[in-house]
Every structure is written in structure tokens, then in C-alpha cells.
Amino acid sequence: MILKITLLLIFIAIMLIVGIYSHKQAKDVNGFVLGGRSVGPWLTAFAYGTSYFSAVIFVGYAGQFGWNFGVASTWIGLGNAFIGSLMPWAILGRRTRIMTQHLNSKTMPDFFGQRFESKGLKVAASAITFLFLIPYTASLFNGLSRLFRMAFNVDYAVCVIVMAILTAVYVIAGGYMATALNDFIQGIIMLFGIVAVILAVLSKNGGFMQSLSLMSEIESPVLKGAYTSFFGPEPFYLLVVVLLTSLGTWGLPQMVGKFYAIKNERSIKIGTMISTFFAIIVAGGCYFLGGFGRLFCKPEQVSAEGFDSIIPTMLSGLGDVLIAVVLILVLSASMSTLSSLVLTSSSTLTLDFINSLKKKQPEEKKNLFVMRIFVAVFIIISAIIAIVQAKSRVTFIAQLMGVSWGALSGAFLAPFLYGLYWKKTSRAAVVTSFTFGCTLMIIQLLISMGFIHVQGAFLGLIFKNSLYSGVFSMLASLIIIPVVSLISAKTRPANVEQMFSCYDTTVTVQAKNVLTDEEE
């Protein structure tokens, strides 16, 4: 217990010191929200990765999908690495950095407002971001409850309150730079922690090959050995999970926002490699570990206690040192994502929603003060929701958490992607995507709660759960945007040529940074 508490106190002290150290770089809005757009590749890559993977992944998804798919759940982690990390860095990174600086936009809602010359889109995107990030943030706390009870025997509410206060202090003090520096430290812990945990857990059953052999003997409703097969017992469902958890990052404001702050071209190239490597180890490792859950839990235990009990059960027999490492690992994963979410929410609520409704724009210091206030408010609301949901098992909150990711990605992914690449994207198309994504997921929420029922094979498949409807929302919006844009040409922004001129700007660089044709 002394070891666990000591490591926890050291972790907390480092987080607070970083927050205080970063305060000098958060003296204006640009510094607080974007770190002055001068953040290097290592910090940006780790900030992206740690914002991506939280306790929801490690405790919830790894346990649930590892149980459903067996070892094939590793594909989810690899999908997160290549579709959710490598591809957005390669496709969105550079163009996002260039255009957002050209338009002087600091958030995703601000980008929609500037790119499509519409204050209404800016306000709508801000409202969607704020409303759907609250339950997503609350879900981060849930992954910690069982682990902290196992290690410290402390009440869940106490854990939530301490975590919320700590995050609030360093985000309010240091803004984006404090978040990025802490994300880097937390990312290092996650990398080493997940490797150590995997080796320790597999050794309980004689190592990897023996564990794999035992998994192959477990019968599934499909066939014997399905949990060690290449695509598992449900390949189509596996594909749905890969798409939602990977492609979905392209439309999440807290993820795309990392590209706004990166320093330069070279940083994007380096960051792409680092971010992909980080995702392979952390995401791949989490889902790979979860794939062996059936060796540690019985079906009746999972039925009684839920999927969130699987990973804690797997870890319960580890030594004190490894238990302490796991606690810091999960705390790091959760706090890094939490800090990113609250910074995104407070900045978009202040800059994009409240300021858009005012005739006179407030001065810089007032904006900073309001954003810091909303960081605290957002964390308090999320913590209360998490505690209420855990104590009373309110169905509405649990279901709302499930639709948050699908609503955000379904509404924002296609408009943002086409907005960066296609001049003919229209305001009407963006409005349609916003409406379609949010409406579809609200219908999913009502179905999940039993208020409405759907009939027919097609609708039954789409609304089978929030994963299916979330993927359908994202893929459909990729078709909706070009179709609606072509039939609503009159709603295209008038100044689009000037906006895209940023990609054609001529710059002079030193020869050591670029290859040139030899002169004849």
C-alpha cells in the first residue's frame, strides 16, 4: 500500500509541477488553446495518442471486445493505429495546420464558421461539441472505479473527485502546453506499462503459446477455436468496431485540434511516425490483452458483473509493483483524455458559442478568464454525471455515453474532410450532415432506451446498437456532403478561392530541407 500511495503522490506532484511550469505560455488565448502553434512532433504525437486511448479503451472496450472476438480483437488496435492515427496525420494534418492558421481559427467550430462564412454553423457546431462531449467525458471516470477499489479499497466518488480536481488545476494553470507536456509523460508510462502488464498476465497461463492453446479449446456459438481464429467469431461486427473506433477520430474536435498546434512541416512527418508507433503498442496491446479474457473470467461472472469486470479480474493477481503500475497507467490514460476534452469544450463554448452571441467581442484577458471558469464547470458537471450514473445506474446516462462518439463523428467528419479538400462544399451540405448525424444518434438513444421500436432487416441492422448506427452515420455523411453540395451550389461561400490560396503560397526554404533539381 505504501508503494502504491508513493507512486500515486509522485505522479500527482509531477502533473502539478508541469501545470505551474506551463503557466507562462498560457498568457493569451492562442497560448492557452493552441500552445502558440509551436508544439513539436513528440509532444503533439503523444498528445494525440493519449487523448485517443483512455480508461474507456483499457478497461471497457478491451474487456468487452476481447470477450466477444478473442485474440482477433487485436485488429481493433491495429485499425486504431493505421486508420485512426497514421491516416489522419497523413491526410488531415498538414492541410488542417495550413488552413486553420490562414483562417485564424482556433477550434473546429471556428473552422466551420470561417470556412463556410456562417456564424450559425459555428454556433451549432459549438453546441454539438459541448453537449456530446459531456457524457463522453463522464464515461472516462467509470473505467477507474473497479481498479481503485481493488488497489486502495476507496469509494468511487472519492477517486472521481481527486482526479477531477487534479486535472482542473493543471489545465487551468497551463492550458494546452501543460496538457501536452503531461500527455508526453503519461504516454511514456502507458507505453512501458502496457508491455509489462501483458507479459505478466500471459505468464499466469504459461506464456503466449500456452495461453493461445488454451484459448483455442474454448467453444463459441460459431465453432471451436473461433476465439483464436483470424477474424474471430463475428467478422462483420469486428469490422464495425474497427471503423467506429478508428475512422471516428477524424471527426472528433479534441483529436483534430492537435493538428492546429503543431509547429511545422517536419514536425508533421515525425509526428506521424511517432503517433502510429504509439497506437500500435498501446491500442494493439490493450485489445490483445483483452483477447485472453475468457481464460480469467467465467461467462456467469461477466453476466452478473458486466464487461468492465474482465480486465480488473485479469490484473487482480499481479504483484504490488505491477498493480501500482497499472493504476498509474489507467490514471494516465484517463487524465490525458480528460484534459484534452475539457480544454476543447471550454474553448469552443467561450470562443465559438458565447462570443458569437455578443455584439462586442470581449478582450483577451476576459476570454482567458471565462475559458478557465468553464474548464472547472465542465469537469464538475462530468464528475457529477459519472458519480450519479455509477451510484444509481441511470440508464439514460449510460446510453448517452454510447452515442456521443457516433454523434460527433457523424456530424463533423465529412464536413471537415471535404472542407479541407473540396472547394465546392456548400453550407447546405454541412447543415445536412450536422442534422443527419445528430438526429440518427438521438433516434439510436431512444431505441436503446425502449421509447421507440424499428422494424425491417435494414433498420434493424443500422440501429442494432450505437456502434452500427455510428458507423452508418459517418459513412453516409461522406456521400451526403458531395450530393447535397452539387444541388445547393448557391450556398457555397463566396470567398472560397482566397481560402484555398493558402495551399499555393510560395515559400523559400534552405537547400538542406528540400531536394531540388540539379542545374544543367
Side-chain angles (χ1 to χ4, degrees):
M1 183 62 71
I2 293 174
L3 175 65
K4 296 169 191 173
I5 293 174
T6 301
L7 285 177
L8 197 60
L9 290 176
I10 293 172
F11 175 81
I12 291 172
I14 292 172
M15 299 302 104
L16 295 177
I17 290 169
V18 168
I20 296 169
Y21 169 79
S22 304
H23 182 67
K24 61 185 178 182
Q25 293 177 301
K27 295 294 181 67
D28 56 26
V29 172
N30 192 48
F32 187 80
V33 178
L34 298 175
R37 293 189 190 265
S38 60
V39 184
W42 284 88
L43 291 185
T44 304
F46 272 75
Y48 185 94
T50 54
S51 297
Y52 195 167
F53 310 115
S54 66
V56 176
I57 300 288
F58 185 74
V59 177
Y61 281 8
Q64 177 181 348
F65 298 129
W67 183 267
N68 289 335
F69 306 125
V71 180
S73 63
T74 308
W75 283 111
I76 305 172
L78 295 178
N80 292 172
F82 295 104
I83 302 174
S85 296
L86 175 64
M87 289 178 66
W89 272 82
I91 295 171
L92 301 178
R94 183 178 181 276
R95 292 181 83 94
T96 298
R97 176 64 174 81
I98 293 171
M99 184 172 277
T100 55
Q101 183 173 22
H102 181 65
L103 298 177
N104 194 31
S105 64
K106 298 178 178 65
T107 64
M108 183 180 275
D110 192 22
F111 169 81
F112 289 128
Q114 300 281 358
R115 168 66 179 83
F116 298 103
E117 297 177 346
S118 169
K119 183 182 287 188
L121 282 179
K122 180 178 178 180
V123 172
S126 176
I128 293 169
T129 300
F130 185 74
L131 290 173
F132 284 102
L133 278 186
I134 287 179
Y136 181 30
T137 306
S139 68
L140 296 178
F141 294 106
N142 291 337
L144 292 168
S145 59
R146 292 179 184 272
L147 289 176
F148 268 78
R149 269 202 298 269
M150 177 185 71
F152 296 107
N153 196 29
V154 296
D155 186 70
Y156 173 54
V158 175
C159 171
V160 170
I161 292 169
V162 171
M163 180 179 165
I165 293 173
L166 177 59
T167 306
V169 169
Y170 81 74
V171 174
I172 289 171
Y176 183 85
M177 189 55 73
T179 300
L181 286 170
N182 275 328
D183 286 350
F184 180 74
I185 297 168
Q186 292 159 352
I188 296 294
I189 294 171
M190 290 167 68
L191 280 174
F192 286 99
I194 192 64
V195 173
V197 168
I198 290 172
L199 293 175
V201 170
L202 291 184
S203 67
K204 290 183 179 182
N205 290 294
F208 170 64
M209 293 306 297
Q210 184 62 28
S211 297
L212 203 62
S213 176
L214 293 172
M215 283 292 296
S216 68
E217 297 174 4
I218 299 174
E219 294 188 12
S220 78
V222 181
L223 52 90
K224 184 178 179 179
Y227 296 115
T228 55
S229 63
F230 201 65
F231 291 122
E234 299 178 87
F236 183 72
Y237 186 28
L238 177 62
L239 175 62
V240 168
V241 176
V242 170
L243 288 176
L244 183 74
T245 60
S246 303
L247 190 61
T249 61
W250 296 40
L252 296 179
Q254 76 275 15
M255 303 297 295
V256 175
K258 301 297 184 290
F259 301 135
Y260 287 46
I262 199 164
K263 190 174 183 179
N264 52 33
E265 184 97 15
R266 181 172 174 271
S267 295
I268 293 174
K269 294 177 181 178
I270 297 172
T272 303
M273 294 184 288
I274 298 169
S275 181
T276 305
F277 172 77
F278 182 88
I280 291 173
I281 301 299
V282 174
C286 284
Y287 286 109
F288 174 76
L289 177 66
F292 292 92
R294 288 179 179 268
L295 297 181
F296 298 84
C297 297
K298 300 296 182 184
E300 51 271 20
Q301 177 189 341
V302 176
S303 299
E305 301 180 22
F307 292 114
D308 287 353
S309 67
I310 296 173
I311 296 297
T313 301
M314 295 175 73
L315 303 176
S316 59
L318 299 179
D320 289 339
V321 175
L322 272 177
I323 289 292
V325 169
V326 170
L327 287 172
I328 302 301
L329 161 67
V330 178
L331 191 61
S332 297
S334 297
M335 288 187 62
S336 55
T337 308
L338 178 61
S339 62
S340 178
L341 290 172
V342 298
L343 188 60
T344 299
S345 300
S346 65
S347 59
T348 192
L349 189 65
T350 304
L351 301 175
D352 306 323
F353 190 83
I354 295 175
N355 287 357
S356 295
L357 301 178
K358 294 180 178 179
K359 292 182 179 180
K360 185 180 179 181
Q361 293 301 302
E363 58 185 29
E364 192 92 349
K365 288 185 178 179
K366 188 173 182 180
N367 273 336
L368 262 180
F369 177 76
V370 173
M371 274 192 285
R372 286 185 162 115
I373 292 295
F374 276 120
V375 166
V377 170
F378 191 83
I379 288 179
I380 290 170
I381 294 173
S382 302
I384 292 172
I385 291 174
I387 293 170
V388 169
Q389 200 276 324
K391 298 289 185 181
S392 59
R393 300 294 177 188
V394 179
T395 306
F396 172 76
I397 296 174
Q399 298 295 345
L400 190 56
M401 290 175 183
V403 305
S404 294
W405 186 299
L408 289 165
S409 298
F412 294 154
L413 187 156
F416 190 81
L417 177 63
Y418 282 105
L420 291 175
Y421 277 90
W422 195 37
K423 296 178 182 179
K424 295 181 179 180
T425 309
S426 69
R427 282 189 294 270
V430 178
V431 171
T432 305
S433 180
F434 284 7
T435 305
F436 179 80
C438 293
T439 302
L440 191 76
M441 297 313 294
I442 290 172
I443 293 172
Q444 175 66 67
L445 177 64
L446 296 174
I447 292 171
S448 300
M449 295 176 65
F451 289 118
I452 60 176
H453 302 276
V454 294
Q455 294 180 339
F458 180 68
L459 289 178
L461 179 63
I462 292 175
F463 294 108
K464 186 175 182 179
N465 57 43
S466 59
L467 297 172
Y468 282 85
S469 52
V471 170
F472 179 77
S473 176
M474 287 187 291
L475 297 180
S477 66
L478 291 171
I479 300 172
I480 287 171
I481 290 291
V483 171
V484 177
S485 292
L486 292 175
I487 62 178
S488 60
K490 291 182 179 180
T491 64
R492 292 172 190 166
N495 205 26
V496 69
E497 291 296 335
Q498 193 277 330
M499 296 177 195
F500 274 75
S501 66
C502 61
Y503 297 136
D504 301 319
T505 303
T506 301
V507 295
T508 303
V509 297
Q510 296 178 335
K512 66 180 181 180
N513 293 329
V514 65
L515 293 173
T516 58
D517 294 332
E518 293 184 359
E519 295 183 2
E520 295 182 358

